[in-house]
Amino acid sequence: MNTQRNLLAGLLLFVAIPFISAQEKAQMVVNADLGTETINRHIYGQFSEHLGRCIYDGLWVGEDSKIPNTNGVRNDIIAALKHINIPNLRWPGGCFADEYHWRDGIGPRDQRPKMVNTHWGGVTEDNSFGTHEFLNLCEELGTEPYICGNMGSGSVEEMSKWVEYITFDGESPMAKLRKQNGREKPWKVQFWGVGNENWGCGGNMSPEGYAENYRRYATYCRNYGTNHLFKIAGGPNVDDYNWTSTLMKNIPGHMMNGISLHYYTFADSWTNKGNATGFDDNEYFRTIENAAHIEELIERHTAIMDQYDPEKRLGLIIDEWGAWYNVEPGTNPGFLYQQNTLRDALLAGVSLNIFHKHCDRVKMANIAQMVNVLQAMILTEGEKMILTPTYHVFDMYKVHQDATLLPIEVKCSNYERLGRSLPAVSASASKDKNGAIHISLVNIDPANDIEISCAVRGTNAANVSNAQIITGENVRACNTFDKPENVRLANFKGAKYKNGELTMKIPAKSLVTIELK
């Protein structure tokens, strides 16, 4: 089995081989009968932190709002999220999680205490969106809740009782309190984070200190009845490999199910994030290059995990990822509100292809964030709502959820800038439970179309049954409240399939998904 796994891993590598010809071309092979790994649907998870206008004035408008809503949540947002089949939703943070005390967010809303969000803008929140509101929203969306518990400023007892309040179906003080607050039966909650970024905003702990605290807190996060928690340890800050090693050595495998990893993409660096719009071609290249760096992080953290967990029982949970730029001019710096361009759609496609490739270890990912914050799916302005280019990538790529990853080979030209180069084509392929094959390709080159010839082996697929594309006038194209469909999902007419050979011309700066049946 190990030999077979290594051979398949070799096939999955993206190979960049420059062509001598001046014409941009690429060759691919998809092995439709060799897949063994599943692309976990939870790779398409979302993140909703109490940050800026993500919750308040984003998701949550309240039941008395003139904006059409269901139990206080905007109907247009609910419909948009249902359409892309979001598999899980992480809440309440982020850094906010380790200052959130859940009892402040239950009971009659007019009696809930107010709090200051010290991490994000210093604004006062009224706690009108709490445990019941979040879990009811998850039920409405048909998505799995992912709750991040407070280790930084909360007690073991507080986290333990939160689990009991939510999931215990019996006689106990917490179950009684839940019923008094209007919920007779418990909710099902699988994913549970034990703290967040505890190397930083979650307590500035050492890896040894966090591991010891994790063991204490996780011990009292009980499984009640048929509800079994998937416990996620707070993992490293980007390339802190010592953190991962320390957790693997000091936390018994039976006490955790996953380790988180956070990685944000900047146009240059933490101190020079760049602008969401108006960027130049050099900034574009650096942004895509920085996004692709997540593959090295996955590989190196995975190598450490493999030493202690060769059977890959533990998941690598990339529960914060995406682009982080300077905030839009005139907005609160603590709200992290930014526009979303075609560059971000291309970045998302490249990232998701990498997650697919490493789905033997990457079991969940949560883009940051869902509404009005960082690389958002959705932007709102009063009654108006727009879908971002990144949203359309998640719509296009939803066909890969829970599908079998197919080994591929790619030989392509390079996109060169600043004396460096990247493979111009990023790709992944999968086969769903009905046998349909989906091939997704990203042409990151902003100027050159690429002719692709793809041999599809080991299938009886007869034709292209569907094909979609996302592109725009240039990589700076974005959707605005005046022009909400500058970048959108459209039908792609350029793919032909005959006798196992798929041919197409992928336009510059575009994402394409082809379905074969």
Side-chain angles (χ1 to χ4, degrees), residues 8 33 61 116 125 140 220 239 253 260 305 379 406 457 474:
L8 289 174
D33 57 346
V61 293
V116 177
E125 298 193 5
E140 177 66 30
Y220 296 96
D239 58 357
S260 72
M305 295 173 73
L379 302 178
L406 299 180
R457 300 172 178 170
N474 54 58

Side-chain angles (χ1 to χ4, degrees), residues 299-314:
E299 290 172 344
R300 294 187 64 179
H301 286 295
T302 291
I304 295 168
M305 295 173 73
D306 285 349
Q307 295 176 30
Y308 301 89
D309 176 34
E311 295 180 352
K312 297 184 184 292
R313 188 188 65 82
L314 299 179

Side-chain angles (χ1 to χ4, degrees), residues 49-61 96 112 124-130 372:
E49 183 170 6
H50 286 246
L51 197 173
R53 295 193 302 115
C54 183
I55 302 293
Y56 301 108
D57 198 31
L59 276 173
W60 179 258
V61 293
F96 181 84
R112 297 179 188 179
T124 300
E125 298 193 5
D126 65 3
N127 276 309
S128 56
F129 190 90
N372 290 331

Side-chain angles (χ1 to χ4, degrees), residues 51-61 65 67-68 73-78 80-81 328 331 335 337-340 369-374 376-388 479-482 484:
L51 197 173
R53 295 193 302 115
C54 183
I55 302 293
Y56 301 108
D57 198 31
L59 276 173
W60 179 258
V61 293
S65 174
I67 298 173
V73 178
R74 294 178 63 131
N75 287 343
D76 49 5
I77 289 180
I78 290 173
L81 296 176
E328 292 302 306
T331 64
F335 282 11
Y337 177 82
Q338 62 189 41
Q339 187 45 277
N340 193 291
Q369 291 187 17
M370 197 163 66
V371 184
N372 290 331
V373 174
L374 298 176
M377 301 288 109
I378 294 166
L379 302 178
T380 66
E381 185 178 273
E383 295 183 1
K384 297 180 181 179
M385 184 202 79
I386 57 174
L387 306 175
T388 68
N479 295 332
T480 67
F481 293 100
D482 294 328

